[in-house]
Amino acid sequence: ISASGLEIFIIASSDEYKDYTTSAEYLETISVLKGYDDGQLHLEEPILRYQAALFFARIVTGVTDESAWGTGPSAAFTDVPQYGPIMDLIASMNIIRGYGDGRFGYDAKIMYQDMCAMLVRVLGYETDEMVKTYPTSYILKVEKLGLGLKNIKGTDYVNRGQTAQMVYNALTTEIAKSVTDKDQALIDLIAKVNGGAPAGDATKDTYLERNFDVSSRMTFKVVATENYKLAGYDLAEEDYITMETV
């Protein structure tokens, strides 16, 4: 899924959609995903823990300029050379936990089961019972929320493209409980970092609406195969429909 302004493009076909470029490019338009120094997104590269922390900090706080937080080393972890304040923030939110020995795992790769756990925490669905039955409980919850990937094992490492797809899905998923909802100190910190602007609108159900000012009413461009149907409606290629969230 990708977008330009408020126009969302849905690419649909009878085959499983395995190329995550479109979702990644949408995240790039709202500065949630950023490319490398060569200007490329490198979606085939494994996602690293510090990159995931940047992802989550942007969607949870709405602050997409990481330099606003400060880019020096961590105050809490021994292996974080830069983006330290963000790593510390995400750890304090309990989204990405350190290893318990003073290390964050800054440039370590992430298994699918751990990405599932991180996204469950981002959306506020983690329970004590889920912690006891890790990782199965997190994988099942992600599947139930519609965030999961197909044909992947829990111990497989995820790449930047797969992560972009999961993060996009999370952006449009109803939040159970956000870490920013009742933590006044954090709300004040986000406002300070964001140049005095308040934290996102907590009355909104998704991070996309809260922090990125996306209207709940959008025009969708559907690219479909000849036999594709949506709610009984035969769609021609390049058809347009209007959808409204409820």
Side-chain angles (χ1 to χ4, degrees):
I1 300 177
S2 180
S4 175
L6 296 181
E7 185 174 281
I8 305 293
F9 300 85
I10 297 179
I11 297 180
S13 74
S14 56
D15 297 321
E16 183 182 342
Y17 185 50
K18 298 179 180 179
D19 182 356
Y20 307 110
T21 302
T22 316
S23 294
E25 288 177 346
Y26 173 67
L27 294 182
E28 187 180 27
T29 67
I30 60 173
S31 299
V32 168
L33 172 63
K34 299 182 181 181
Y36 284 76
D37 290 340
D38 62 2
Q40 302 300 310
L41 294 176
H42 291 290
L43 302 182
E44 76 287 352
E45 294 289 330
I47 188 75
L48 305 181
R49 281 167 65 92
Y50 86 89
Q51 295 171 337
L54 294 175
F55 257 135
F56 300 142
R58 292 166 190 154
I59 68 173
V60 170
T61 70
V63 180
T64 58
D65 179 8
E66 52 271 5
S67 66
W69 297 96
T71 58
S74 166
F77 300 102
T78 60
D79 62 338
V80 176
Q82 59 180 343
Y83 306 121
I86 296 179
M87 306 302 112
D88 296 347
L89 175 72
I90 291 301
S92 72
M93 291 178 175
N94 207 31
I95 293 174
I96 301 181
R97 299 163 181 164
Y99 292 152
D101 59 359
R103 294 179 302 138
F104 182 80
Y106 182 80
D107 56 0
K109 295 183 288 187
I110 301 175
M111 290 187 289
Y112 176 64
Q113 62 195 30
D114 293 324
M115 182 59 70
C116 290
M118 293 170 190
L119 286 170
V120 167
R121 295 172 193 145
V122 165
L123 293 167
Y125 286 96
E126 186 176 57
T127 65
D128 291 341
E129 190 60 35
M130 291 176 69
V131 174
K132 296 176 185 176
T133 54
Y134 164 88
T136 304
S137 54
Y138 293 92
I139 295 173
L140 292 175
K141 188 63 177 181
V142 159
E143 290 176 356
K144 184 176 181 179
L145 292 171
L147 312 179
L149 301 175
K150 303 294 185 182
N151 303 318
I152 187 170
K153 299 191 295 292
T155 53
D156 288 344
Y157 290 111
V158 289
N159 62 32
R160 285 167 56 86
Q162 291 168 318
T163 302
Q165 184 64 58
M166 295 180 77
V167 168
Y168 177 84
N169 292 342
L171 273 173
T172 56
T173 297
E174 184 174 350
I175 302 164
K177 179 178 63 178
S178 173
V179 290
T180 62
D181 284 347
K182 295 182 179 180
D183 188 332
Q184 191 58 50
L186 182 56
I187 292 171
D188 293 342
L189 175 61
I190 293 170
K192 180 180 178 181
V193 169
N194 206 24
D201 184 352
T203 65
K204 302 297 185 181
D205 293 331
T206 70
Y207 283 121
L208 192 61
E209 293 175 294
R210 284 189 182 196
N211 294 328
F212 299 94
D213 196 27
V214 174
S215 171
S216 61
R217 186 175 181 84
M218 296 167 284
T219 298
F220 288 74
K221 177 183 179 182
V222 179
V223 182
T225 61
E226 291 181 1
N227 298 323
Y228 189 77
K229 293 180 181 291
L230 181 64
Y233 174 64
D234 292 321
L235 294 171
E237 290 190 12
E238 306 297 313
D239 239 350
Y240 283 81
I241 60 174
T242 296
M243 301 182 70
E244 186 172 1
T245 59
V246 294

